[in-house]
Amino acid sequence: MQPPSPSEMAVLKTLWNEGALSAREVHARLGGPQDWSYSTTRTLISRMVEKGLVSRRDSHGLAVFAPALSKAAVLSGMVRRFSAQVFDLDAPLPASAFAGSPLLDDDDLAELETLLEQEGGEEEN
Amino acid sequence: MQPPSPSEMAVLKTLWNEGALSAREVHARLGGPQDWSYSTTRTLISRMVEKGLVSRRDSHGLAVFAPALSKAAVLSGMVRRFSAQVFDLDAPLPASAFAGSPLLDDDDLAELETLLEQEGGEEEN
DNA sequence: AGGGGTATGTTACAGATGTAGCGAACCTGT
DNA sequence: ACAGGTTCGCTACATCTGTAACATACCCCT
């Protein structure tokens, strides 16, 4: 799994929140802080489809996008990469460190914990 | 502070360990896992000098490089960026999560903790 | 039928990163 | 004085990321 870039993370967060959105909707939700042109938003989404980070569905002629992977799956991957890369750690960080994240409810946190505890990266699936 | 890229982190780790090294020496220490050409190692080091990540000193005609920032300074920055970017967290992660890192002795860990606890990013200094 | 708005695919371009080669200058042993 | 090894500064080039425009095709209203 190619990791999402920072901008791509922003898009993913929106999709995790809202489920499935058209490009226009994604753009609207990102509105304030990102300040991209609509074109930019669309380019990001396309690249994410290529990377397999989001899936594209055609709803009555309109393209609608949804996350291809769960929050926990992506985040656990990011955490693993980070701790290996930066700290040479291969034992996982405790999921509890991320409680407090506005992205995660209790279920998400539990799932993240499970994924972080599993030995070894997830390989392909 | 521009964050070090993954490859640059590898170089920094070597320098934190060994103190100050010539390009040739850095290359030798990285030997196994990285498998770069010597040219690549040198390019990385140069870019890191430009970024202010390492300093260059001239020792009897030979260029010798040393880390420009402490382990704790760099790592705390990385942790902050990561937790903000990925988890929308602005409260800091607990330094204790990184005990166990082969990079950190107790002093490093204490320093890291201090830096992580400080409110707000470090600005310029 | 024509005009206005929207979606989609395609293309562009700069900067960062990974990766590496080239030529000039230099030291050192023969 | 020269060959061989090494350093150093420069250049190159592909890929990824950030950022965006353009040209079509399509739909709806007047």
Side-chain angles (χ1 to χ4, degrees):
Chain A
M1 192 246 303
Q2 298 178 79
S5 76
S7 306
E8 291 171 342
M9 269 301 302
V11 173
L12 274 181
K13 286 175 190 169
T14 306
L15 291 177
W16 284 324
N17 260 330
E18 313 263 350
L21 297 176
S22 70
R24 184 63 67 180
E25 289 169 329
V26 171
H27 186 62
R29 311 305 145 111
L30 291 171
Q34 263 65 18
D35 187 36
W36 298 324
S37 87
Y38 176 50
S39 217
T40 300
T41 305
R42 284 189 354 100
T43 301
L44 279 174
I45 295 176
S46 300
R47 288 179 182 170
M48 293 171 76
V49 172
E50 287 165 19
K51 286 192 186 179
L53 289 172
V54 313
S55 63
R56 174 183 177 145
R57 179 171 55 88
D58 192 299
S59 166
H60 312 288
L62 221 214
V64 169
F65 305 91
L69 298 138
S70 77
K71 231 183 297 188
V74 171
L75 296 186
S76 71
M78 304 280 284
V79 169
R80 276 176 198 281
R81 254 186 303 274
F82 178 77
S83 53
Q85 183 114 95
V86 175
F87 286 96
D88 289 352
L89 270 174
D90 98 292
L93 296 191
S96 58
F98 311 107
S101 167
L103 294 176
L104 303 171
D105 64 28
D106 292 329
D107 291 329
D108 295 325
L109 198 54
E111 194 184 343
L112 180 61
E113 185 162 22
T114 304
L115 292 181
L116 284 176
E117 274 164 8
Q118 295 179 334
E119 277 310 311
E122 334 69 23
E123 325 298 328
E124 38 257 296
N125 51 78
Chain B
M1 193 248 302
Q2 295 178 81
S5 76
S7 306
E8 291 171 342
M9 268 301 301
V11 173
L12 274 181
K13 286 175 191 169
T14 307
L15 292 177
W16 283 324
N17 260 326
E18 314 262 351
L21 297 175
S22 70
R24 184 63 66 179
E25 289 169 327
V26 171
H27 186 62
R29 310 305 144 110
L30 291 172
Q34 264 65 21
D35 186 35
W36 299 325
S37 87
Y38 177 50
S39 215
T40 300
T41 305
R42 284 188 355 99
T43 301
L44 279 174
I45 296 176
S46 300
R47 288 179 181 170
M48 293 171 75
V49 172
E50 287 165 19
K51 287 191 184 180
L53 288 172
V54 313
S55 62
R56 174 184 177 146
R57 178 171 53 90
D58 192 298
S59 167
H60 313 286
L62 222 215
V64 169
F65 305 91
L69 298 135
S70 76
K71 231 182 299 186
V74 171
L75 296 184
S76 70
M78 303 281 284
V79 170
R80 276 175 197 281
R81 255 186 302 274
F82 177 78
S83 53
Q85 182 111 94
V86 176
F87 287 96
D88 290 351
L89 270 174
D90 99 290
L93 297 191
S96 57
F98 312 107
S101 166
L103 294 176
L104 303 172
D105 64 27
D106 292 329
D107 290 329
D108 295 325
L109 198 54
E111 194 184 344
L112 180 60
E113 186 165 22
T114 305
L115 292 180
L116 284 176
E117 274 166 8
Q118 294 181 340
E119 277 310 312
E122 333 68 21
E123 325 297 330
E124 34 258 296
N125 48 79

